[in-house]
Amino acid sequence: QVQLLESGGGLVQAGVSLRLSCAASGRTFSSYAMGWFRQAPGKEREFVAAISSSGGSRYYADSMLGRFTISRDNAKNTVYLQINSLKPEDTAVYYCAAGGGTFQAMASMSRAGWYDYWGQGTQVTVSS
């Protein structure tokens, strides 16, 4: 069982950067692949990025390339999402997720159904 708690969201102005954190409970964090998703008002949840258990492999949604960086610190049981040059369209609830399966191709890692555990989400609101 893994419990996830996101933090770092807030109300910010366009152009600034944020680093979201997702702290995981349990001693097996390093065995889980992790993902970040987001859901904007009135829209479906969309994939942002994923990282393998070791941190050696990463995927990003095409629309997230360049401004988003996923990373993890297994010693701290934490995964991060750095977002630079925030835009109003980045406004959403950001969720982290953990999956115990083998890190696969992006087609699998970008599916919400691949993941076993989810956090409650952290709200990011970007004003113009």
Side-chain angles (χ1 to χ4, degrees):
Q1 191 82 5
V2 177
Q3 293 185 322
L4 305 172
L5 181 63
E6 301 94 337
S7 62
L11 173 61
V12 296
Q13 288 190 327
V16 304
S17 299
L18 273 182
R19 188 176 77 160
L20 307 182
S21 300
C22 173
S25 66
R27 292 174 288 181
T28 59
F29 174 75
S30 60
S31 66
Y32 286 88
M34 301 296 295
W36 281 97
F37 290 74
R38 70 182 186 182
Q39 188 165 17
K43 295 187 177 180
E44 294 187 352
R45 191 170 298 190
E46 66 172 336
F47 171 73
V48 175
I51 189 168
S52 62
S53 57
S54 68
S57 297
R58 306 174 191 190
Y59 293 129
Y60 296 92
D62 288 344
S63 60
M64 313 295 174
L65 284 170
R67 295 192 300 118
F68 292 75
T69 303
I70 188 171
S71 62
R72 68 189 295 162
D73 186 338
N74 285 344
K76 295 183 178 180
N77 281 14
T78 302
V79 63
Y80 305 98
L81 183 69
Q82 176 76 29
I83 313 173
N84 297 326
S85 301
L86 277 155
K87 303 176 180 181
E89 51 264 43
D90 294 321
T91 295
V93 178
Y94 285 74
Y95 299 91
C96 70
T102 302
F103 198 68
Q104 299 179 17
M106 181 166 165
S108 294
M109 303 308 299
S110 62
R111 291 190 301 107
W114 189 88
Y115 297 85
D116 303 310
Y117 304 102
W118 291 82
Q120 300 277 4
T122 185
Q123 175 72 48
V124 174
T125 303
V126 185
S127 63
S128 58

